[in-house]
Amino acid sequence: MRISDEDRRGAAEELRAAHAQGRLSLAEYDTRLDGVNRATTYGELAKIFADLPAVSHARPERRSSVPKWVRIVWLWWTVTLVINLGVWALVRFQMDDDVYFWPVWLLIPTIAIAAVTYRATTAHAAKQARRTPAWRG
């Protein structure tokens, strides 16, 4: 299978990290870097990395352990809760009688959202942990 420019950049980063760790001499680093730039398939990249261990910190990407859609869902749900509590507080303090605390019913969808997002977050974290470059697999 053919490689992309992103794969080449990732491979070059791994070579840089291996050189910084002292696993490659400067001449060997240059030779392998030229090979990465000329490579067109994953098999060619795999040959370049055959005698090097996988570098876990080759590309220091700051990825969140929480998917973006989860953050958006919680943001909107929090806004909904605040609005409901605000309405209840306005009604409560304008009435002479005790007002039933109806926002308590918002706990049911809150628990459901928490369960779904917990499952999605753990699945997302497991997927992130499994990510390895294709030429390493």
Side-chain angles (χ1 to χ4, degrees), residues 2 17 19 32 35 46 74 77 112 117 129 134-135:
R2 297 183 67 85
H19 175 63
R32 290 183 188 218
W74 277 108
W77 186 246
T117 56
W135 63 88

Side-chain angles (χ1 to χ4, degrees), residues 1-51:
M1 188 183 315
R2 297 183 67 85
I3 60 174
S4 67
D5 289 338
E6 181 68 25
D7 293 328
R8 283 188 192 90
R9 281 191 289 275
E13 274 299 314
E14 276 204 42
L15 283 178
R16 256 184 237 110
H19 175 63
Q21 292 173 349
R23 297 182 190 278
L24 297 173
S25 67
L26 184 58
E28 193 174 14
Y29 168 72
D30 285 338
T31 304
R32 290 183 188 218
L33 189 59
D34 288 339
V36 165
N37 290 327
R38 283 193 313 269
T40 57
T41 63
Y42 287 117
E44 293 170 359
L45 275 183
K47 290 176 188 172
I48 294 170
F49 287 92
D51 62 340

Side-chain angles (χ1 to χ4, degrees), residues 3-137:
I3 60 174
S4 67
D5 289 338
E6 181 68 25
D7 293 328
R8 283 188 192 90
R9 281 191 289 275
E13 274 299 314
E14 276 204 42
L15 283 178
R16 256 184 237 110
H19 175 63
Q21 292 173 349
R23 297 182 190 278
L24 297 173
S25 67
L26 184 58
E28 193 174 14
Y29 168 72
D30 285 338
T31 304
R32 290 183 188 218
L33 189 59
D34 288 339
V36 165
N37 290 327
R38 283 193 313 269
T40 57
T41 63
Y42 287 117
E44 293 170 359
L45 275 183
K47 290 176 188 172
I48 294 170
F49 287 92
D51 62 340
L52 289 175
V55 179
S56 62
H57 60 279
R59 261 194 309 171
E61 291 182 2
R62 297 197 54 156
R63 291 187 178 258
S64 173
S65 62
V66 180
K68 186 176 182 178
W69 70 267
V70 171
R71 291 190 303 264
I72 292 170
V73 165
W74 277 108
L75 172 71
W76 282 106
W77 186 246
T78 303
V79 168
T80 303
L81 288 174
V82 168
I83 289 171
N84 277 279
L85 287 172
V87 169
W88 177 83
L90 287 173
V91 170
R92 166 74 174 93
F93 293 116
Q94 290 183 0
M95 304 275 292
D96 292 334
D97 299 338
D98 282 339
V99 177
Y100 174 70
F101 186 67
W102 50 266
V104 74
W105 291 102
L106 295 175
L107 285 175
I108 295 169
T110 302
I111 292 169
I113 292 171
V116 168
T117 56
Y118 174 76
R119 176 75 176 136
T121 302
T122 55
H124 180 75
K127 182 179 175 184
Q128 291 294 329
R130 288 192 306 264
R131 289 186 71 191
T132 57
W135 63 88
R136 290 288 188 188

